[in-house]
Amino acid sequence: MFRTSTASAGQRRARLVLAACGAAAALTAGALAPATAASQSAPRPRAEHYVALGDSFTSGPFIPVQDGSWCARSNSNYPSLTSSWLTPASFRDISCGSATTNDMWRPQPGMDNPAQLDALKKDTTLVSLGIGGNDIGFGEIIKNCTYALRPVPDGNPCERRYTAGGVDELEERILQTAPKVADVLKEIRERSPHARVLVVGYPAFLSEKSEDAEGCKASLRLPVGDIPYLRDTMRSLNTMLSHEAKAAGASYVDTYTPTVGHDACQPRNDRWVEGMVPVNPLQAMAFHPNAKGEASMAEAVQDTLRRG
């Protein structure tokens, strides 16, 4: 599974990106099909007992109104918005900032959050899972690749750092995270055998358009040369999550495609994902979806549920 040459790293990344693009194209085509109008008017699916698991992209840090926990959960995150739409008999959002796959089984260190999987019951009928970003080191990547207090350099220093020696370290982390996600999905199935399971992907951080490069640099304090590499890393992560969902008989929720054009590189009013300095620091966290982003993610979850 481990690569030893730059060529093999490039080939693996190309396969993952092509798979991601293919999946995105298929989802986009489906979204444009006439059947979508019918799905919008279709009866809402039933979900008697809904449990939401995940990290900060699920919990919605700083987005009002927060629940007061160390986990930084918002009542306007995508699980809460989905619950309001579904009106289940019971709903529990156990997502927590900084969570990794390990925190599905254990109380999260430094947080007032129990093992997330313990929220599942035999009668749970819907589970959403948003996890994996912290397993590959989102926080470390931001620290190593952005320049908060220093001039942003030219070139691609982040890519060169993570591909030194001919091995793409971030892609290796994604590959190593895949079996961890698979284990979580297996445990969900064992604890809640009758539940529909949704694996929720990550939204778009970086623009797909080269003309937005300076916007990315300004908003994220990121070298322009690193934009394609980090964008492909995010696509690769989502592709892995999609593959693991399919292998486990779960549904993958594409939140990337709906947020393209509303990434952190866009003008402030068009952003659904924040840059280094949020539009409103008291209502969104840096490098995370804001309220509009969480609403878009909720729509993607609801669209997936409508499709059955």
Side-chain angles (χ1 to χ4, degrees), residues 124-140:
T124 299
T125 55
L126 176 65
V127 180
S128 62
L129 173 68
I131 204 71
N134 293 318
D135 287 81
I136 74 165
F138 268 4
E140 173 211 302

Side-chain angles (χ1 to χ4, degrees), residues 19-296:
C21 291
L27 286 165
T28 302
L32 295 174
T36 299
S39 69
Q40 294 288 341
S41 60
R44 294 178 184 178
R46 295 182 64 183
E48 300 300 330
H49 303 286
Y50 172 28
V51 175
L53 315 173
D55 56 25
S56 56
F57 280 71
T58 300
S59 67
F62 295 1
I63 299 172
V65 176
Q66 294 284 294
D67 69 357
S69 73
W70 284 101
C71 288
R73 280 187 294 263
S74 169
N75 68 358
S76 294
N77 61 15
Y78 73 76
S80 294
L81 296 174
T82 299
S83 177
S84 295
W85 176 71
L86 288 170
T87 63
S90 69
F91 165 59
R92 187 172 184 192
D93 180 3
I94 197 71
S95 62
C96 193
S98 301
T100 68
T101 51
N102 289 335
D103 298 314
M104 300 296 106
W105 278 275
R106 67 182 184 187
Q108 191 167 333
M111 300 291 186
D112 54 347
N113 211 46
Q116 293 196 29
L117 287 167
D118 287 351
L120 300 176
K121 307 299 180 186
K122 289 291 185 182
D123 65 350
T124 299
T125 55
L126 176 65
V127 180
S128 62
L129 173 68
I131 204 71
N134 293 318
D135 287 81
I136 74 165
F138 268 4
E140 173 211 302
I141 295 166
I142 291 169
K143 178 182 177 181
N144 289 336
C145 298
T146 63
Y147 295 78
L149 302 176
R150 295 172 291 163
V152 180
D154 296 328
N156 59 336
C158 181
E159 180 178 13
R160 287 187 282 106
R161 178 192 185 103
Y162 283 111
T163 58
V167 174
D168 187 337
E169 182 179 343
L170 297 186
E171 190 176 331
E172 290 299 330
R173 293 182 189 180
I174 292 170
L175 294 173
Q176 292 161 11
T177 300
K180 299 178 183 180
V181 174
D183 287 345
V184 174
L185 292 171
K186 180 180 178 181
E187 188 70 14
I188 291 172
R189 185 63 65 199
E190 290 179 356
R191 296 192 187 207
S192 301
H194 306 297
R196 180 171 185 190
V197 182
L198 307 179
V199 177
V200 182
Y202 289 89
F205 268 100
L206 296 158
S207 176
E208 302 285 330
K209 299 179 180 179
S210 59
E211 57 263 34
D212 290 336
E214 289 302 318
C216 293
K217 179 179 178 179
S219 173
L220 295 162
R221 303 292 297 166
L222 177 73
V224 169
D226 281 323
I227 293 171
Y229 171 69
L230 292 176
R231 183 175 58 226
D232 288 351
T233 297
M234 183 62 72
R235 289 175 176 171
S236 296
L237 174 60
N238 280 333
T239 298
M240 179 274 287
L241 293 172
S242 176
H243 288 171
E244 294 307 319
K246 182 178 180 180
S251 299
Y252 175 70
V253 180
D254 172 30
T255 65
Y256 187 98
T257 302
T259 49
V260 169
H262 296 283
D263 47 76
C265 307
Q266 304 307 315
R268 291 191 167 196
N269 291 338
D270 295 331
R271 286 183 205 165
W272 294 355
V273 179
E274 296 294 343
M276 183 169 286
V277 179
V279 174
N280 187 336
L282 299 179
Q283 296 191 10
M285 186 174 183
F287 303 105
H288 282 74
N290 54 30
K292 291 179 180 178
E294 289 287 338
S296 172

